[in-house]
Amino acid sequence: MLVKVYSAAVQGLNAIPVTIEVNASRGIKFFMVGLPDNAVKESHERIVAALHNCGYRYPSKQIVVNLAPADIKKEGAGYDLPIAIGILAADEKVRKDHLDKFMMIGELSLDGSLQPVKGALPIAIKAREIGYEGLIVPEQNVREAAVVNNLKVFGVKTISEVIRFLNGEGNLEPTIIDTRKEFYAQQTTFDYDFADVKGQEHVKRALEVAAAGGHNVIMIGPPGSGKSMMAKRIPSILPPLSLSESLETTQIHSIAGKLKSESSLIAQRPFRSPHHTISQTALVGGGLNPQPGEVSLAHNGVLFCDELPEFSRSVLEVLRQPLEDRYINISRAKYSINYPCSFMFIASMNPCPCGYYNHPTKACVCTPGQIHRYLNKISGPLLDRIDIQIEITPLSFEELSGKAPGENSYTIRERVVKARQIQEKRYAGCKGIHCNAQMTSSLMRQFAEPDAKCAEMLRAAMNRLQLSARAYDRILRVARTIADLDNSATIHTEHVAEAIGYRNLDRSNWGE
């Protein structure tokens, strides 16, 4: 007897429908075709043990399983559940009259319980798009899949529940989540707040400008000056995620298997902080079984690289294209995948190998040559892509011991949101442009063209600091954001002057 069960494979951010055809005939052998990887091939042993331990007899017949379409590689153990159901249906142990109404996915343990799988959310989106009545997933994945409306999502603990449900002997209740209520309830709760940061007002101002325009930032300062502390608080002043941004971000984390079992939609902007020993593949994604990298996991959020010069130079150089294009194209011999990676890049570094160059009280023991070699670990093209370069000095005892709290994140966030609303309105007709950091050259000529006084100030800065053309664009983008924070329709000289002041590493005498 031939039966068909329906599942899906995840490629990139999308799911591809997979039809699992199972044919039972006379014989004793088991065959699986349709380009399965080793994890899929091993499903036979898991299925036999799971059925036995749940009180079901594996059929003494020749079983042929075809995973169609056959030209797409099937990866992972998520096909265990639909293959097992297909085998039982082909042996007439499960009724097949409802199989065409459901898509299912799940990994089987030897005791018949279901283990979580990756990519439940994109699979749920595809199931609704095709028109299936419901989706059956492991209980641990039910909340992330249930955010898709107009689709019944059933979370199950064991294969026995699925068998009884399909045979009409038991009932499964679909999981219903009030997506909007949960989403908006989680948007204002943060573990870190700028109220905890004492002093450093010029740095907080720079980070406010960065958040208002989506600009990349590098902070240079000695150990203990608060670089990491402030970086961790940046998500608390960024504008709240929209539902569409949240769905896209959640899809990426679902595919990577980073969602917790109690999670539904990601309501706060992600903050990713990879260690400096990270490899190129882990940073941008890919691998034997392609997965999103850290740049994609930081999509719509923040990627923080602490101690930037300690990263491998080759690793840092792969950031250049994602920072410019806001997507990463991973091309290998067997696949080509696009992942989105629109993130704020925040980096921090010491000013020299010993960390105390320009320190007000501690002496630096590094020679000028050592300082230059240390700074040269970061290439000029990468620095050009960082809009704001801000120097941090440590606080005095009086500033540290002061009891007055700093300005809280909520107040800063309100100003940032107002500036972003101005930008959203300005770029309403420009597809893919949402903030000043994403402005193209034509948009800069339209919205950030300097007047005569600003142009003269820029000319002097370009000649004195020997800035590149890309740095010139960055200054104008930052000046446009500062003007938006001031609710100014035009860019004035004070806005340009502040933006030039955020190019610390471009000073010709820095490090001497």
Side-chain angles (χ1 to χ4, degrees), residues 269-285:
R269 294 189 180 273
F271 180 87
R272 305 294 300 181
S273 181
H275 192 260
H276 63 260
T277 56
I278 191 171
S279 67
Q280 292 185 35
T281 302
L283 186 64
V284 300

Side-chain angles (χ1 to χ4, degrees), residues 24 39 75 151 254 290 369 379 432 448 510:
E75 299 169 338
L151 178 73
S254 173
S379 68
W510 206 96

Side-chain angles (χ1 to χ4, degrees), residues 115-134:
Q115 299 300 315
V117 295
K118 297 178 180 179
L121 179 54
I123 290 172
I125 293 172
K126 179 58 68 173
R128 181 187 63 180
E129 180 185 315
I130 296 174
Y132 286 99
E133 180 182 317

Side-chain angles (χ1 to χ4, degrees), residues 8-226:
V10 177
Q11 282 197 345
L13 289 187
N14 302 313
I16 299 172
V18 173
T19 302
I20 297 171
E21 302 173 327
V22 182
N23 186 71
S25 59
R26 291 182 61 185
I28 57 171
K29 292 186 177 181
F30 178 86
F31 300 96
M32 184 180 292
V33 295
L35 216 57
D37 72 350
N38 286 334
V40 182
K41 292 176 182 176
E42 291 168 354
S43 65
H44 177 254
E45 282 68 29
R46 290 192 293 272
I47 291 169
V48 171
L51 293 180
H52 173 76
N53 289 319
C54 289
Y56 298 93
R57 181 174 171 271
Y58 187 84
S60 300
K61 297 179 181 180
Q62 178 169 291
I63 304 293
V64 180
V65 178
N66 178 42
L67 310 175
D71 60 339
I72 296 174
K73 189 170 181 63
K74 318 303 184 304
E75 299 169 338
Y79 299 101
D80 289 2
L81 176 61
I83 291 174
I85 295 298
I87 290 172
L88 290 176
D91 194 38
E92 300 183 349
K93 298 294 191 304
V94 170
R95 290 167 53 185
K96 63 177 184 177
D97 48 349
H98 297 302
L99 291 179
D100 58 348
K101 297 179 181 178
F102 301 99
M103 188 178 276
M104 60 184 73
I105 190 164
E107 176 186 340
L108 280 175
S109 293
L110 298 187
D111 62 356
S113 61
L114 290 176
Q115 299 300 315
V117 295
K118 297 178 180 179
L121 179 54
I123 290 172
I125 293 172
K126 179 58 68 173
R128 181 187 63 180
E129 180 185 315
I130 296 174
Y132 286 99
E133 180 182 317
L135 172 68
I136 299 173
V137 297
E139 189 179 45
Q140 299 93 320
N141 295 115
V142 69
R143 288 185 60 80
E144 66 176 280
V147 302
V148 179
N149 54 16
N150 300 323
L151 178 73
K152 295 178 181 178
V153 179
F154 303 97
V156 293
K157 294 181 179 178
T158 67
I159 190 174
S160 299
E161 294 179 30
V162 182
I163 295 170
R164 289 195 296 269
F165 172 66
L166 293 173
N167 285 335
E169 299 168 358
N171 190 35
L172 292 178
E173 290 296 326
T175 299
I176 299 173
I177 293 178
D178 189 337
T179 306
R180 292 180 181 273
K181 181 180 178 181
E182 289 199 9
F183 175 70
Y184 291 117
Q186 298 174 30
Q187 283 199 322
T188 56
T189 305
F190 294 97
D191 296 330
Y192 303 103
D193 194 289
F194 268 100
D196 305 326
V197 181
K198 296 181 179 180
Q200 305 291 15
E201 297 303 325
H202 71 295
V203 184
K204 289 195 278 188
R205 167 65 178 177
L207 296 180
E208 179 183 337
V209 172
H215 302 290
N216 303 320
V217 181
I218 184 168
M219 295 179 283
I220 311 103
S225 56

